[in-house]
């Protein structure tokens, strides 16, 4: 929580790669983190923010609640289930891990996600199929 404990790109890389079956691949000149070939996180060019999966219907609420932490890259993220997170606004590595785990679960194959219930940071609520 102090300036000394600021989250860095190295912390993002370490936390992302600690998730099951995650690989790192350079795309568009930026590091991306994937599970089953699908991107669940990326680091921005200046490494001060990361992109993560986020259902579009949840984005506005998160951004309104914590605009210093969450934002979208206008013109790019508008049509995707994606948002950005300012690394300097994260509380600690536990918050970083929770955000990455949530993003990972959104793209991980169901069988893989089911094999890792410890990564279900949202609890039982996210286990349903609420895409309707």
């Amino acid at each position: 929580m102090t300036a000394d404990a600021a989250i860095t790109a190295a912390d993002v890389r370490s936390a992302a790669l600690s998730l099951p079956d995650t690989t790192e691949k350079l795309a568009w000149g930026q590091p991306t983190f994937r599970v089953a070939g699908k991107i669940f996180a990326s680091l921005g060019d200046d490494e001060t923010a990361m992109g993560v999966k986020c259902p579009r219907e949840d984005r506005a609420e998160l951004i309104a609640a914590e605009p210093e932490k969450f934002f979208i890259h206008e013109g790019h993220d508008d049509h995707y289930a994606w948002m950005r997170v300012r690394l300097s606004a994260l509380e600690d590595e536990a918050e970083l891990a929770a955000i990455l785990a949530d993003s990972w679960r959104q793209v991980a194959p169901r069988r893989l996600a089911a094999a890792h219930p410890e990564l279900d940071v949202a609890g039982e609520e996210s286990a349903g199929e609420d895409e309707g």
Side-chain angles (χ1 to χ4, degrees):
M1 282 206 250
T2 66
D4 297 341
I7 299 298
T8 66
D11 295 326
V12 172
R13 178 172 280 111
S14 176
L17 291 173
S18 74
L19 294 166
D21 292 354
T22 294
T23 58
E24 181 177 346
K25 182 178 180 183
L26 204 61
W28 311 287
Q30 301 171 306
T32 64
F33 303 95
R34 302 163 185 246
V35 60
K38 296 179 183 176
I39 299 172
F40 71 89
S42 67
L43 277 168
D45 328 4
D46 63 2
E47 297 189 343
T48 63
M50 67 177 176
V52 293
K53 293 289 288 180
C54 179
R56 282 186 281 179
E57 60 273 14
D58 296 342
R59 271 195 325 206
E61 185 178 331
L62 287 167
I63 292 168
E66 297 185 84
E68 72 289 346
K69 186 179 296 180
F70 303 113
F71 66 104
I72 63 169
H73 186 269
E74 298 289 337
H76 183 269
D77 299 334
D78 304 341
H79 305 292
Y80 300 99
W82 199 256
M83 74 174 178
R84 310 297 167 116
V85 182
R86 288 180 184 89
L87 301 184
S88 63
L90 291 173
E91 298 278 326
D92 53 27
E93 289 185 22
E95 183 179 28
L96 170 66
I99 290 169
L100 287 170
D102 183 58
S103 187
W104 180 91
R105 287 190 66 77
Q106 291 178 60
V107 300
R110 284 188 180 147
R111 186 174 301 217
L112 180 60
H116 295 280
E118 74 280 5
L119 297 177
D120 191 359
V121 295
E124 297 300 319
E125 296 172 28
S126 68
E129 294 287 319
D130 292 342
E131 293 194 51

